[in-house]
Amino acid sequence: MTSHPPLRAVLFDRDDTIAYTDHGVYREAALWAAQAFGLDPREVAAGMQAQWEARAFTWWHLRTQADEDAFWSDYSADLAARLGLTDAQAQQLSARYPYEAFMKPVPNAREVLGELRARGLRLGVLSNTLPSIDRTLTFLGLNDLIDVAVATCTVGIHKPNPGAYRHALIALGVDAAEVLFIDDKQENVDAARALGMHAALIDLSGQTPDALHDLRSVATLVDRIGVASAPADA
């Protein structure tokens, strides 16, 4: 019925695909800092959000965990200056609420990933993110379901550059035509399709008419494409 081979793998983006930022954690962290350091929780929340917005796109050059550790050390020092904390207090706040503490799995994430693995599919994550991707997936409770996790920082090539996708394909041990790619950015979906992958846009806000609006829809799409009759070899 189709010239494409059946699927052997599904490759996901991380943020706004299988995980999301829980902005309520900013309030939780602000209340904790207010009690610990005698600060105004509203100023702490505003300062933490402003700090992240100021540094949100300054990590693309990081390549190793050591690079990331240095980044967060500098980040903590900048946060201390912004909030009027000592360096020790800012480090205490960052340790209590690290980067991954602001993430939550999207609804049904573990259920969907488990179902896909049960069908013999290999699962991967390809995210434009820092080297600590394994730690974030562990915090989300999903790492045991993921065969390959690629943080583009460690590769030095970010989506939608084709090289980022090729790196993930090699790690998964599959051809492009055997993969379904899911991402929340259209340019990344388009780049995957240009390489020969099946690809779909996901919009968990439900605002994009032709996108997937629920992670459970991925399983339906997999059914439509078809799965290899035997599990892929590791």
Side-chain angles (χ1 to χ4, degrees):
M1 295 177 63
T2 175
S3 60
H4 283 278
L7 293 176
R8 294 179 61 205
V10 181
L11 181 62
F12 294 92
D13 178 41
R14 185 191 65 190
D15 299 334
D16 296 317
T17 301
I18 61 171
Y20 70 97
T21 298
D22 183 356
H23 293 282
V25 179
Y26 282 103
R27 294 189 295 272
E28 179 186 324
L31 289 171
W32 181 86
Q35 293 177 347
F37 310 128
L39 301 176
D40 184 328
R42 292 168 297 182
E43 292 182 0
V44 176
M48 291 181 71
Q49 290 181 312
Q51 174 70 7
W52 175 248
E53 290 169 4
R55 299 295 302 273
F57 297 103
T58 62
W59 46 262
W60 294 80
H61 65 288
L62 305 178
R63 296 290 175 265
T64 67
Q65 187 59 55
D67 291 339
E68 183 176 344
D69 291 342
F71 171 85
W72 288 122
S73 179
D74 291 343
Y75 188 97
S76 180
D78 290 345
L79 184 61
R82 188 181 292 272
L83 298 179
L85 299 173
T86 66
D87 287 342
Q89 287 172 330
Q91 290 170 9
Q92 190 178 353
L93 176 58
S94 296
R96 177 87 180 203
Y97 291 96
Y99 171 57
E100 61 269 22
F102 294 83
M103 297 181 188
K104 295 288 190 299
V106 305
N108 307 301
R110 189 166 181 85
E111 170 192 339
V112 171
L113 296 181
E115 177 184 342
L116 296 176
R117 277 183 66 97
R119 299 188 60 183
L121 289 163
R122 290 178 63 75
L123 301 183
V125 174
L126 174 63
S127 179
N128 286 351
T129 193
L130 302 99
S132 58
I133 190 168
D134 288 330
R135 190 178 78 228
T136 66
L137 292 172
T138 296
F139 181 84
L140 291 165
L142 302 175
N143 200 44
D144 61 310
L145 298 174
I146 302 298
D147 296 293
V148 169
V150 178
T152 59
C153 272
T154 63
V155 181
I157 307 171
H158 304 286
K159 296 178 297 183
N161 188 304
Y165 300 87
R166 293 191 182 105
H167 184 93
L169 291 173
I170 291 170
L172 283 166
V174 295
D175 294 329
E178 300 172 316
V179 177
L180 170 62
F181 176 71
I182 308 294
D183 198 289
D184 67 303
K185 292 182 171 57
Q186 187 65 54
E187 62 266 29
N188 295 338
V189 171
D190 292 342
R193 287 175 178 159
L195 287 173
M197 296 183 191
H198 301 271
L201 180 71
I202 191 166
D203 175 13
L204 298 173
S205 72
Q207 297 178 4
T208 306
D210 296 330
L212 305 179
H213 297 152
D214 187 313
L215 198 63
R216 288 175 296 189
S217 298
V218 174
T220 303
L221 186 53
V222 165
D223 288 337
R224 193 178 309 152
I225 298 168
V227 178
S229 57
D233 293 333

